[in-house]
Amino acid sequence: MIKLIASDLDGTLLQEGTMDINPEIYDIIHKLKAKGIVFAAVSGREYDSIARVFAPVKDDIYFIAGNGGIISFQGEIIEKMAIPADVLKDVVEYVRSQEDASFMTAGSAQAYVERADQAFVKKLREGYKLHVNEVDDVLHAPETMTKVAMYNEKVDAAAGAEEAKKIFGDRIQIMASGDYWVDFVDIHSGKGNALQKLCARLGITKKEEVVAFGDNCNDVSMLTEAGKSYAVTTAREEAKQAAKYVLEKPGPDSVLNVLKMILEL
């Protein structure tokens, strides 16, 4: 019996960098809940942005934000996995040094961007609908950070992640999170670890009771953790290899079709 469904957003349930989700998902989530199946929205985005996407059902689902850095339910943070201050400093100095790159850090629910990068601030506010806090120096922001996200349209994210891993080794998790996003999260974070924590909270002990959907490198740990896992047809090869199934039809409606099939079981 399926007890938990976890789905990525960008590239899986909606187009990368937009808020455009098929509103049919809200009805499906209500029906899943009525059957005792929990839905979790899992994303590299911050809570504030994900909650806007799922506003009609935000009190009915769990949120895993910042690639596993935050787990929350009904506005309450259940888990926060912050990056140690010394590691954060080194990562921020690294991303600042990368040519043509912009970056943000993420706290409990919001993004922090250095005010000098106004083009990036605009992109986050208008595309991802993030609540962006403009600061002079993210290292002096008033809270601990769960993620550093580097954005560079001139470097493929997977290649950028591999290059950063050569510098940091096992001090921090580094992953591609979109075509041009490279995310840095605490070693105890990540979507797979967060899914494990959520299962423990819900009393789910069998992998076969969990379904996951994803499309990118940052979804691999989650897809591996679930008993039934699906990669969308446009997914990166790493996600397809990690998933048990690859959806044949393109577009987010292919995910909705699987959810409908689960409702009929």
Side-chain angles (χ1 to χ4, degrees), residues 207-208 210 212 222-231 239-247:
K207 282 192 172 185
E208 55 264 33
V210 182
M222 177 175 70
L223 294 171
T224 303
E225 191 62 33
K228 289 187 177 180
S229 53
Y230 298 83
K240 290 180 178 179
Q241 291 178 4
K244 290 183 172 58
Y245 308 99
V246 177
L247 300 176

Side-chain angles (χ1 to χ4, degrees), residues 95-103 117 120 150-155 180:
V95 298
R96 280 174 177 162
S97 72
Q98 299 305 295
E99 187 176 0
D100 299 314
S102 294
F103 76 97
D117 196 348
F120 191 51
M150 179 173 67
Y151 183 83
N152 192 340
E153 292 185 354
K154 294 187 178 181
V155 177
Y180 307 116

Side-chain angles (χ1 to χ4, degrees), residues 16-243:
E16 173 80 28
T18 74
M19 303 291 283
D20 302 328
I21 195 167
N22 187 333
E24 189 177 1
I25 187 66
Y26 307 135
D27 182 55
I28 290 174
I29 287 172
H30 283 138
K31 290 178 178 178
L32 289 169
K33 182 180 178 182
K35 289 194 67 171
I37 302 173
V38 175
F39 184 87
V42 188
S43 179
R45 296 190 186 199
E46 281 34 82
Y47 169 80
D48 187 66
S49 177
I50 311 172
R52 289 172 187 252
V53 174
F54 289 95
V57 291
K58 65 182 179 64
D59 289 331
D60 298 309
I61 68 175
Y62 280 83
F63 293 92
I64 296 177
N67 276 327
I70 295 288
I71 305 174
S72 63
F73 182 63
Q74 295 183 343
E76 177 187 353
I77 294 177
I78 299 166
E79 295 273 357
K80 180 177 181 178
M81 286 148 276
I83 301 171
D86 60 328
V87 179
L88 178 68
K89 180 176 182 294
D90 290 346
V91 171
V92 168
E93 290 178 349
Y94 172 79
V95 298
R96 280 174 177 162
S97 72
Q98 299 305 295
E99 187 176 0
D100 299 314
S102 294
F103 76 97
M104 54 161 276
T105 60
S108 296
Q110 301 171 356
Y112 293 83
V113 179
E114 294 179 341
R115 67 179 81 254
D117 196 348
Q118 283 299 306
F120 191 51
V121 169
K122 182 178 180 181
K123 181 179 186 66
L124 295 177
R125 284 179 172 159
E126 295 182 1
Y128 291 87
K129 304 299 181 185
L130 287 184
H131 184 112
V132 177
N133 294 285
E134 296 181 53
V135 295
D136 292 323
D137 184 342
V138 294
L139 294 175
H140 296 154
E143 63 170 316
T144 56
M145 297 298 162
T146 61
K147 185 183 78 170
V148 178
M150 179 173 67
Y151 183 83
N152 192 340
E153 292 185 354
K154 294 187 178 181
V155 177
D156 176 75
E162 290 305 312
E163 190 63 30
K165 288 176 183 178
K166 297 176 185 177
I167 305 296
F168 292 97
D170 60 1
R171 295 180 67 203
I172 193 166
Q173 287 194 67
I174 304 170
M175 64 202 76
S177 183
D179 291 339
Y180 307 116
W181 289 96
V182 176
D183 283 2
F184 301 75
V185 300
D186 182 63
I187 57 173
H188 301 295
S189 187
K191 292 185 177 183
N193 287 336
L195 189 60
Q196 283 185 359
K197 292 176 184 293
L198 181 55
C199 285
R201 177 182 176 85
L202 297 173
I204 297 172
T205 58
K206 299 177 181 178
K207 282 192 172 185
E208 55 264 33
E209 296 174 334
V210 182
V211 177
F213 299 89
D215 78 307
N216 216 312
C217 298
N218 61 329
D219 297 315
V220 167
S221 62
M222 177 175 70
L223 294 171
T224 303
E225 191 62 33
K228 289 187 177 180
S229 53
Y230 298 83
V232 295
T233 187
T234 52
R236 282 186 180 267
E237 191 60 34
E238 295 91 335
K240 290 180 178 179
Q241 291 178 4

